[in-house]
Amino acid sequence: MSLLSVLARAALGAPFVYLGYQAVKTPGGRVAMATDFGIPAEYAETAVRANGAAMVLGGLSVATGVLPRLGALAVAGAMVPTTLAGHSFWKDTDPKARGANLTQFLKNLGLVGGLLAVAATPHRDAVVVNED
């Protein structure tokens, strides 16, 4: 595996590890967003923490190269409700809020694209056997 590939995976996984951990540790305002998104209030905090945990585990998987395709798919799946609930720019009436949420929505879309690229990368054996 090339150094560039290792660095790319680490860079892609790191934000999910950090931000997922923050969601697990301190769900805060994310709970209200989850409720507004349609998660019943009694389950909203658990949903936020579970989503954060999926991001931590998936981000670690991508960053370390241990089952990176599975980890990338898990994080991409976790990003869908996160992005729709947290950055629904189409609902904003204030132009500044709309612009900020659109920027974050597009950033998340780009990250999901990177995750899907990892998921689409064929598995390569870490050990090469000399068949002489």
Side-chain angles (χ1 to χ4, degrees):
M1 180 156 310
S2 73
L3 176 61
L4 184 59
S5 178
V6 170
L7 292 174
R9 278 199 336 266
L12 183 58
F16 298 110
V17 173
Y18 176 77
L19 295 170
Y21 174 74
Q22 293 302 315
V24 170
K25 180 179 159 192
T26 312
R30 296 173 191 91
V31 175
M33 286 189 267
T35 303
D36 291 344
F37 186 63
I39 305 293
E42 62 270 20
Y43 302 117
E45 183 173 335
T46 301
V48 168
R49 289 180 192 266
N51 187 278
M55 287 190 186
V56 169
L57 294 173
L60 284 171
S61 174
V62 169
T64 63
V66 176
L67 300 174
R69 296 175 74 190
L70 179 62
L73 288 173
V75 176
M79 286 297 290
V80 172
T82 296
T83 302
L84 294 176
H87 304 297
S88 51
F89 66 91
W90 55 90
K91 293 181 180 178
D92 292 323
T93 55
D94 175 47
K96 280 190 172 187
R98 184 182 184 92
N101 274 322
L102 177 58
T103 297
Q104 292 302 312
F105 183 93
L106 292 172
K107 173 199 57 106
N108 285 1
L109 181 63
L111 287 168
V112 168
L115 291 164
L116 293 177
V118 170
T121 302
H123 175 71
R124 292 185 179 93
D125 292 333
V127 178
V128 177
V129 178
N130 188 350
E131 297 180 2
D132 290 335

